[in-house]
Amino acid sequence: MRVATWNVNSIRTRVVRVVDWMVREDVDVLAMQEIKCKPEQFPYAEFEAAGYEVVLHGLNQWNGVAIASRLPIEDVTIGFPDMPGFLKDHDGPGLPKEARAIGATVDGLRLWSLYVPNGRSLSDPHYVYKLDWLAALAADTQRWLTDDPELQLALMGDWNVAPLDSDVGDPSLVPGLSTHISPPERTAFAAFEKAGLTDVVRPIVPDGYTYWDYKQLRFPRNEGLRIDFILGSRAFADRVVGASIHRNERKGTAPSDHVPVLVELASPPAAEDDDDRPMIFG
């Protein structure tokens, strides 16, 4: 089984190359971020023609998340239980929830497509919102895995955090001044390991960026960031037999500024036959 994540940066603009890549790479499930459309605007026909069902959460031309699958999609959840809301220049409870999280179960896997808030700047209220959002997700994750230690869970998407110095090649990010690399953001990301998840791609692909800004020739200069991740529970990680970052998808006509990240899963272990009834020979 092949499962991937991709911040597509407007699915209506890039539907042809997204679906082409999925078919070419034999992808079973794709988590998408920044689809930037409402449900009635989504290009379902192209996905359906290629054999994919799609569920999504989109409110306007910003944000938006989706899951496309060749296998049946079940138990769709919009937003995680404790997800905070955000509204510029407003504070307190009851703030509107943005289209940043959708979960679904596919062939026994509990998969989430996540678009973590950017943070904007260290002094912006959006930065506090980002930290609160990550803390709430980590707490919910820990609860999910406490309730079901064998849950095959994967949190996939654009995390807007570069957790290691080696994940940063963009010279415009300055320690102490820039988001994505601040100690509180990295601590918030590390909390998911404490909650029971692991980066299932890095052991197989230790180096490589997943995002390059459109400006300043960042891609030709390979001045990128590694901010797109698949974090899996132990039961999910135990099935991972391959992983790849598809850098070439940043090339060509009108690419997204992110590239797909893919993992290949082995088939789950066959259930043991525990039928201990006596055999009858005739």
Side-chain angles (χ1 to χ4, degrees):
M1 187 172 180
R2 294 166 71 82
V3 178
T5 182
W6 193 355
N7 180 324
V8 297
N9 191 14
S10 180
I11 189 58
R12 288 178 290 174
T13 300
R14 300 184 171 87
V15 59
V16 172
R17 69 180 296 162
V18 169
V19 173
D20 175 74
W21 176 81
M22 293 172 70
V23 172
R24 181 166 21 99
E25 294 296 332
D26 196 25
V27 175
D28 294 295
V29 185
L30 176 65
M32 291 174 276
Q33 303 83 44
E34 280 202 278
I35 61 171
K36 296 184 176 181
C37 67
K38 299 177 183 179
E40 61 269 25
Q41 298 171 315
F42 192 91
Y44 293 100
E46 289 85 344
F47 284 85
E48 291 169 354
Y52 292 92
E53 173 187 2
V54 178
V55 294
L56 66 96
H57 179 37
L59 298 175
N60 48 40
Q61 73 273 28
W62 309 110
N63 308 325
V65 286
I67 296 174
S69 174
R70 294 195 294 203
L71 302 168
I73 299 176
E74 304 172 316
D75 302 325
V76 177
T77 303
I78 303 299
F80 51 90
D82 295 318
M83 188 175 77
F86 181 80
L87 183 63
K88 186 177 180 181
D89 299 326
H90 291 75
D91 200 357
L95 298 178
K97 306 293 179 70
E98 296 182 307
R100 294 186 176 275
I102 186 170
T105 299
V106 179
D107 197 29
L109 304 176
R110 187 58 181 170
L111 305 175
W112 284 87
S113 179
L114 305 169
Y115 180 43
V116 175
N118 178 282
R120 299 176 182 168
S121 74
L122 300 183
S123 60
D124 195 291
H126 207 259
Y127 177 74
V128 176
Y129 165 55
K130 178 180 188 174
L131 296 177
D132 290 345
W133 201 95
L134 286 167
L137 178 59
D140 282 346
T141 298
Q142 188 158 41
R143 178 172 53 78
W144 295 332
L145 293 178
T146 298
D147 292 344
D148 183 3
E150 298 305 314
L151 181 64
Q152 297 181 73
L153 172 68
L155 305 187
M156 309 186 289
D158 176 359
W159 291 78
N160 272 316
V161 178
L164 303 179
D165 288 346
S166 59
D167 297 331
V168 182
D170 187 335
S172 69
L173 271 66
V174 180
L177 298 177
S178 303
T179 60
H180 294 60
I181 59 172
S182 70
E185 289 167 289
R186 287 178 167 179
T187 298
F189 188 88
F192 288 89
E193 182 175 1
K194 296 179 181 179
L197 301 184
T198 184
D199 181 344
V200 298
V201 176
R202 198 183 295 273
I204 301 170
V205 189
D207 302 308
Y209 304 133
T210 64
Y211 164 86
W212 296 260
D213 196 297
Y214 290 123
K215 301 186 295 291
Q216 303 297 320
L217 298 176
R218 294 292 184 224
F219 183 68
R221 294 173 176 171
N222 199 30
E223 296 174 342
L225 298 171
R226 188 169 183 152
I227 57 176
D228 301 85
F229 297 97
I230 299 175
L231 304 186
S233 64
R234 177 189 54 78
F236 183 92
D238 285 348
R239 291 182 57 186
V240 174
V241 294
S244 49
I245 296 173
H246 290 243
R247 187 179 186 276
N248 282 344
E249 290 306 310
R250 184 59 174 80
K251 301 176 181 179
T253 303
S256 171
D257 43 4
H258 295 252
V259 297
V261 179
L262 181 148
V263 292
E264 185 173 354
L265 307 178
S267 299
E272 293 185 7
D273 185 359
D274 58 359
D275 187 350
D276 58 357
R277 292 173 297 178
M279 299 182 66
I280 301 175
F281 299 89

